[in-house]
Amino acid sequence: MAGYDYDLFVIGGGSGGVRAARVAASLGKRVAIAEEYRFGGTCVIRGCVPKKLYVYASQFPEHFADAAGYGWTVPEASFDWPTLVANKDKEIARLEAIYKKNVEGVGGEAFHSRAVLVDRHSVYLAAEDRTVSADQILIATGGRPAPHPALSGHEYCIFSNEAFDLKQLPKAIMIEGGGYIAVEFANIFHGLGVETTLVYRGREILSRFDMDLRRSLHETMEKKGIRILTHSISEWVRKNPQGRLDVLLSSGQALTVDQVMLAIGRIPNTENMGLEGVGVELAKTGAIVVDEFSRTSIDNIWAIGDVTHRVQLTPVAIHEAMCFIETAFKGNPTAVDHDTIPTAVFSQPEIGTVGLSEDEAVKRFPDIEVYRASFRPMRHTLSGRDEKMLMKLVVEGASRKVVGAHILGPDAGEMAQLLGIPLKAGLTKHDFDRTMAVHPTAAEELVTMYKPTYRVKNGERV
């Protein structure tokens, strides 16, 4: 290692890259990290954090309306989009500074520069026009929204990146896509008073989530006033003389909106990094292929996070970073465990889920029990809001192990985090049953559903 400038060079200053750089530097390693845009990456700068802030902003109209049932008289409210954007920018700048400081505070060196691999131990820093060497190299460059160059008029469309910083709030928006990004932004814009249409090519939004949650959320969103058009895609987008956008859908329907947002997936940031020249194997999607320890086809080059062919979630990238540190610098080879990952969709209402959906469990086990409860949460009783909460446990029949837990409703994401612990530990329905309830809470339903709603044996409901 002494013959190199650094023990570790990290390319990419997002959550995973910063965590790896910070922890390695705290171990006394000579560490450098390069980020060509802003430290914090997708999650902090243009993803999870600003999105959650916008979710909070979009929930206030319902809070104001619900307050009347509890005796509050709330004056007519008004919303100012530029204020939200400006305050979001302040918070993102604060977090960005912290991310960079966390690396430098433990002795790491941070570069604002594009970094390109020259060979398996050398990295060219474009902003400084020089090459440095490193014993180990970690690639954590993340991903970005997938473009749609085949769509006529794609140049008029925006992506999630631009949605955070629009000059003005549109009066009407069409969002194409049915994943969590599309669904979350549909709820955000609708909550901020925008006429919102969600267009999705599939038969139901949020593929790979439990079907009960998908259907219930779809119904609730439509009741709120969000228009959802399935089995449909955009044929073309054109700007009309009034400066608005006309959209023709494959169904033959025509829309006129102020913005079209594409949320049709994400692709890894691997172009023009020198990966092919060094011999790093890439998947057909452009993602970096790694083994269970995050090692690429070149044994001293590693990759974590959304740039790989694995799960695209910020906590997963951070976990992969910690496993990388154990493997590369602590002599403790640690494979990444991607099983039973808690996940939240910050729709309105929220989704929180961990483990197998009912459909997945049916394919895997000959006998399952399904415990299901749908009810109006207590917070809606005085407000009069007609919105149901859904809770569901999927149990493997033979062992009675809880293999899936799914929630739709207020604070579902918070519950999913806690449910991740017993499901990861492999606890059984008996363990849930002998756990005391906290009353009155919505979460108590998780430990008071004593009888299965139905069973599924060999694919047949009984």
Side-chain angles (χ1 to χ4, degrees):
M1 290 189 187
Y4 300 106
D5 297 321
Y6 302 101
D7 300 319
L8 171 65
F9 196 100
V10 180
I11 304 176
S15 297
V18 166
R19 175 63 64 91
R22 178 172 64 82
V23 176
S26 70
L27 296 174
K29 304 300 179 182
R30 296 168 300 151
V31 176
I33 183 170
E35 168 58 53
E36 68 173 316
Y37 180 48
R38 299 176 68 181
F39 281 88
T42 295
C43 181
V44 172
I45 306 300
R46 52 195 175 272
C48 323
V49 173
K51 174 199 68 184
K52 191 69 180 289
L53 295 176
Y54 282 22
V55 168
Y56 288 142
S58 67
Q59 290 173 338
F60 279 97
E62 289 191 356
H63 295 332
F64 295 148
D66 291 349
Y70 288 89
W72 290 94
T73 299
V74 180
E76 184 177 353
S78 62
F79 173 70
D80 185 65
W81 170 257
T83 297
L84 174 61
V85 174
N87 289 339
K88 176 267 298 181
D89 287 343
K90 290 178 184 177
E91 175 60 10
I92 297 310
R94 184 185 72 85
L95 293 173
E96 178 187 8
I98 290 173
Y99 266 61
K100 187 169 182 285
K101 182 180 178 181
N102 283 344
V103 174
E104 296 176 332
V106 289
E109 191 171 358
F111 295 100
H112 277 289
S113 175
R114 180 169 184 79
V116 179
L117 293 175
V118 177
D119 58 44
R120 60 185 294 157
H121 288 290
S122 302
V123 179
Y124 173 71
L125 297 172
E128 307 209 353
D129 192 25
R130 67 187 178 99
T131 299
V132 298
S133 61
D135 178 55
Q136 305 293 315
I137 295 173
L138 176 66
I139 302 168
T141 48
R144 65 186 187 279
H148 193 354
L151 174 65
S152 176
H154 66 88
E155 65 271 20
Y156 300 124
C157 302
I158 64 169
F159 300 92
S160 57
N161 291 1
E162 293 81 23
F164 292 114
D165 299 296
L166 296 173
K167 296 298 182 184
Q168 61 185 22
L169 193 64
K171 292 181 179 179
I173 190 170
M174 188 202 93
I175 300 174
E176 182 160 355
Y180 73 94
I181 294 174
V183 168
E184 288 172 340
F185 271 101
N187 282 274
I188 288 170
F189 280 113
H190 174 263
L192 296 178
V194 179
E195 180 184 317
T196 302
T197 301
L198 184 65
V199 174
Y200 180 47
R201 64 182 179 179
R203 69 186 180 96
E204 188 55 276
I205 59 174
L206 293 176
S207 63
R208 295 189 294 276
F209 283 79
D210 188 88
M211 185 57 79
D212 273 343
L213 298 186
R214 298 167 67 187
R215 288 174 179 155
S216 296
L217 179 61
H218 183 145
E219 292 172 3
T220 304
M221 288 172 63
E222 288 193 320
K223 284 181 180 179
K224 289 175 183 285
I226 299 171
R227 187 182 185 191
I228 300 177
L229 304 176
T230 57
H231 297 293
S232 191
I233 61 173
S234 300
E235 294 286 352
W236 50 252
V237 179
R238 295 173 184 168
K239 182 168 285 190
N240 64 30
Q242 291 74 42
R244 304 187 77 200
L245 299 177
D246 294 327
V247 185
L248 178 66
L249 303 180
S250 57
S251 62
Q253 292 174 279
L255 304 175
T256 298
V257 295
D258 301 295
Q259 294 284 357
V260 173
M261 175 179 155
L262 301 180
I264 53 175
R266 294 178 64 80
I267 58 175
N269 290 322
T270 53
E271 298 92 341
N272 304 314
M273 288 183 58
L275 296 171
E276 297 90 339
V278 175
V280 173
E281 182 185 356
L282 301 178
K284 291 182 179 179
T285 60
I288 297 176
V289 177
V290 295
D291 65 14
E292 67 270 29
F293 301 104
S294 298
R295 193 189 303 267
T296 72
S297 53
I298 306 300
D299 61 9
N300 73 299
I301 299 177
W302 316 68
I304 59 173
D306 292 3
V307 76
T308 71
H309 61 302
R310 301 177 294 185
V311 181
Q312 296 184 355
L313 291 170
T314 296
V316 173
I318 293 172
H319 178 71
E320 290 169 354
M322 297 305 294
C323 292
F324 158 72
I325 293 293
E326 291 290 327
T327 302
F329 295 114
K330 290 189 175 182
N332 178 34
T334 303
V336 180
D337 181 4
H338 290 102
D339 187 45
T340 318
I341 299 171
T343 305
V345 180
F346 294 106
S347 49
Q348 298 174 41
E350 288 181 13
I351 282 178
T353 183
V354 57
L356 301 178
S357 68
E358 179 182 336
D359 289 343
E360 290 171 328
V362 166
K363 293 176 183 177
R364 192 173 301 188
F365 304 111
D367 181 16
I368 68 166
E369 300 172 352
V370 176
Y371 296 77
R372 188 182 186 280
S374 180
F375 56 95
R376 187 165 68 166
M378 189 175 184
R379 68 166 63 183
H380 293 333
T381 55
L382 296 190
S383 71
R385 182 171 297 281
D386 182 23
E387 191 171 299
K388 294 292 184 69
M389 191 161 190
L390 174 64
M391 292 194 174
K392 184 174 181 179
L393 295 177
V394 181
V395 178
E396 197 272 307
S399 66
R400 305 215 70 230
K401 179 179 174 181
V402 181
V403 296
H406 312 284
I407 303 168
L408 173 73
D411 303 316
E414 303 289 345
M415 291 186 227
Q417 177 64 85
L418 296 178
L419 283 166
I421 300 171
L423 265 70
K424 194 70 172 177
L427 299 189
T428 66
K429 185 62 171 62
H430 173 67
D431 295 313
F432 277 63
D433 291 343
R434 66 192 184 95
T435 301
M436 293 291 185
V438 178
H439 181 75
T441 65
E444 67 183 294
E445 290 288 334
L446 294 166
V447 296
T448 57
M449 294 187 289
Y450 296 120
K451 292 184 178 181
T453 307
Y454 55 86
R455 301 179 75 122
V456 181
K457 290 189 175 183
N458 299 315
E460 297 292 330
R461 185 183 293 197
V462 296

